[in-house]
């Protein structure tokens, strides 16, 4: 099952069903139970998906995986200085204009591919990389440092727009 990104930035991710050991510790067989999608089905069924919100544990990794699903042949993310600078400007612009659509800001990028790669590189680094990037944005562009939650959500919106 693929990871699904919802319009609000949440991600629906597959979860592995729990493993149950039949018998005692003398080498019994192992079985797995698979249930319906989270929130569906009856009592006692095991959910097979989980809803992750930006800033929640595992979200950055899941967003990075979702991005990879959009283009599985993409090479590993490489961040260039110019791509990172443009990405910081873009994240700042989106953060300071939360009611404005992301598309015009993305369309105004000089090098959208380099900016996208820089943002993917941030995600691959996990939550500490996102926090460091948010601090760099505040230092370079001015203003308060965005939370990892806000930064990750903006990165997801930008990558979604770049991939559309």
């Amino acid at each position: 099952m693929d990871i699904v990104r919802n319009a609000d930035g949440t991600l629906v991710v597959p979860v592995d069903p729990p493993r149950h050991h039949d018998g005692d510790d003398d080498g019994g067989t192992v079985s797995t139970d698979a249930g319906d999608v989270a929130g569906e089905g009856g009592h006692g069924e095991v959910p097979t998906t989980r809803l992750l919100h930006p800033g929640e544990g595992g979200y950055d990794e899941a967003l990075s995986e979702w991005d990879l699903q959009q283009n599985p042949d993409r090479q590993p993310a490489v961040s260039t200085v110019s791509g990172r600078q443009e990405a910081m400007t873009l994240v700042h612009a989106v953060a300071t204009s939360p009611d404005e659509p992301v598309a015009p800001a993305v369309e105004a990028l000089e090098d959208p591919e380099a900016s996208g790669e820089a943002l993917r590189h941030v995600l691959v680094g996990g939550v500490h990389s996102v926090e460091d990037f948010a601090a760099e944005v505040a230092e370079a562009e001015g203003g308060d440092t965005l939370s990892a939650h806000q930064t990750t959500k903006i990165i997801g919106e930008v990558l979604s727009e770049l991939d559309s």
Side-chain angles (χ1 to χ4, degrees):
M1 174 183 174
D2 286 344
I3 296 171
V4 176
R5 183 177 183 279
N6 297 318
D8 65 356
T10 58
L11 299 170
V12 179
V13 299
V15 294
D16 292 329
R19 297 169 48 114
H20 298 284
H21 293 277
D22 296 333
D24 53 14
D25 290 336
D26 62 350
T29 60
V30 176
S31 64
T32 59
D33 293 330
D36 292 338
V37 172
E40 296 181 7
H43 177 71
E45 293 181 354
V46 178
T48 58
T49 62
R50 179 173 175 212
L51 184 67
L52 290 176
H53 295 84
E56 190 174 352
Y59 182 88
D60 292 347
E61 295 81 1
L63 184 60
S64 182
E65 182 66 26
W66 169 83
D67 184 56
L68 181 61
Q69 285 174 187
Q70 305 312 300
N71 187 352
D73 298 328
R74 180 183 294 129
Q75 296 297 315
V78 176
S79 183
T80 63
V81 172
S82 62
R84 190 170 180 94
Q85 288 172 338
E86 195 169 35
M88 287 191 294
T89 300
L90 173 64
V91 167
H92 177 74
V94 172
T96 56
S97 302
D99 296 329
E100 298 296 319
V102 174
V106 170
E107 290 168 4
L109 291 172
E110 210 170 292
D111 189 349
E113 186 174 328
S115 298
E117 287 300 298
L119 294 173
R120 288 180 183 95
H121 192 262
V122 169
L123 287 180
V124 168
V127 69
H128 295 298
S129 177
V130 173
E131 291 169 342
D132 292 345
F133 180 74
E136 284 182 56
V137 170
E139 185 177 320
E141 302 293 329
D144 295 333
T145 301
L146 298 172
S147 69
H149 165 88
Q150 291 172 301
T151 305
T152 303
K153 186 173 181 185
I154 292 170
I155 290 172
E157 291 171 2
V158 169
L159 292 177
S160 182
E161 185 64 35
L162 284 170
D163 290 338
S164 64

